[in-house]
Amino acid sequence: MSTSRHNGFRHVRRMTRIAAALAAGVTALIAGGFAVAGRHSASADTTAAKAAVKATNTAATTTTTTTTSSLGVSQAPTASSASPVATSGGS
Amino acid sequence: MTDWYVMRATGVVSLILLTLVTVLGIATVNRWRPGRAPRFVTLGLHRSLSLLAVVFVAIHVVTALFDPYAGVTVLSVLVPFAAHWKALWVGLGTVSLDLVAAIIVSSLLRRHLSLRVWRGIHLLSYVSWPVAVVHTLGAGTDASATWLLATTILCIAAVAFAALSRLPLRRGPAPRRLAPQVTM
């Protein structure tokens, strides 16, 4: 085999190895980016969900208190109205 | 969840590799060579990178099979437009995969095929690659993302440039220069 041909094959092997390494690296980079973005959006969704649950529960508690006041019955807020806030805050 | 990320990432990398393979294929026909290297280097790179692309396409397909969200079945991998999720776009991916498989198998069996048959099958790459691009834009979750759009546009530009360079720009003899008319 001539030197030129030998160098050519070596060139092909080296370029293929570089391309394979680059492809694997880029795949890992993109997949990692997706994972980070996915975790980020999941975290944002959880925060938004927590805020929504808290707002709903606060409104429910207010309604319960208002209703009991209008009935003229002195009654402390029930445990059922208070517990979801604690539950949602703890998750 | 990991297979979902790997599937999307290998899909993008497969598109880039298939683009490189297509460009190198056109460069081989054009008898282009990198620097002072012999011409067979272009052909060798075309062959080895096509096998590398097949590996990444295979990972893309296998992870799609295992991912419950994509809902890709063995049938939809082999038969176009049989998928339940985004049937058209996933189906185009299947068409591209089948064509790539035909091109690779015919190249591996080239000794047993006539040049005409092999060439005819190999020309299917001009269908397979654009179909893969459309599959990326249609089925890709990140198709609207700027980085993926930019990557796709770069891939299209690379193949368009290579294909245009293959076109014979001078058809027929050069136009004859007319003798200046003498006006009285």
Side-chain angles (χ1 to χ4, degrees):
Chain A
M1 192 189 291
S2 67
T3 316
S4 167
R5 203 165 170 77
H6 178 74
N7 285 343
F9 280 121
R10 214 174 54 184
H11 195 66
V12 170
R13 278 198 296 271
R14 195 177 62 214
M15 291 291 281
T16 307
R17 274 201 297 268
I18 291 170
L22 269 174
V26 169
T27 304
L29 198 71
I30 296 173
F34 284 150
V36 170
R39 203 175 303 156
H40 215 75
S41 65
S43 162
D45 287 349
T46 311
T47 311
K50 276 181 187 176
V53 169
K54 197 164 186 173
T56 310
N57 288 335
T58 310
T61 310
T62 312
T63 310
T64 311
T65 313
T66 311
T67 311
T68 49
S69 303
S70 63
L71 288 171
V73 181
S74 176
Q75 193 178 346
T78 55
S80 59
S81 63
S83 62
V85 179
T87 310
S88 64
S91 61
Chain B
M1 205 66 181
T2 310
D3 46 2
W4 171 240
Y5 299 141
V6 174
M7 182 190 70
R8 288 154 72 194
T10 48
V12 176
V13 173
S14 297
L15 178 70
I16 296 169
L17 285 173
L18 287 173
T19 302
L20 276 175
V21 170
T22 308
V23 169
L24 282 168
I26 296 170
T28 306
V29 178
N30 283 353
R31 297 170 182 271
W32 176 83
R33 56 182 177 181
R36 289 181 179 180
R39 263 210 308 262
F40 73 84
V41 169
T42 315
L43 179 63
L45 277 174
H46 172 66
R47 284 178 181 166
S48 56
L49 287 189
S50 63
L51 293 176
L52 184 66
V54 166
V55 171
F56 276 82
V57 169
I59 298 170
H60 177 63
V61 172
V62 170
T63 44
L65 279 172
F66 282 101
D67 185 66
Y69 183 76
V72 176
T73 58
V74 178
L75 181 73
S76 60
V77 166
L78 300 172
V79 181
F81 314 112
H84 297 292
W85 180 74
K86 290 191 175 181
L88 174 66
W89 306 117
V90 175
L92 287 174
T94 308
V95 169
S96 182
L97 176 72
D98 290 346
L99 292 176
V100 165
I103 293 162
I104 295 291
V105 170
S106 67
S107 291
L108 293 174
L109 299 173
R110 192 179 166 179
R111 282 183 198 170
H112 307 282
L113 299 171
S114 68
L115 183 64
R116 198 174 171 179
V117 171
W118 173 82
R119 196 176 152 76
I121 296 171
H122 220 76
L123 283 175
L124 289 174
S125 55
Y126 286 106
V127 179
S128 163
W129 181 82
V131 170
V133 171
V134 177
H135 163 73
T136 306
L137 292 174
T141 317
D142 316 284
S144 56
T146 313
W147 66 272
L148 186 59
L149 277 175
T151 307
T152 312
I153 288 168
L154 278 175
C155 289
I156 293 169
V159 172
F161 181 76
L164 285 176
S165 71
R166 205 189 156 182
L167 290 177
L169 295 177
R170 291 179 188 172
R171 282 183 182 274
R176 281 191 307 176
R177 186 177 288 175
L178 296 170
Q181 287 181 340
V182 180
T183 49
M184 301 281 293

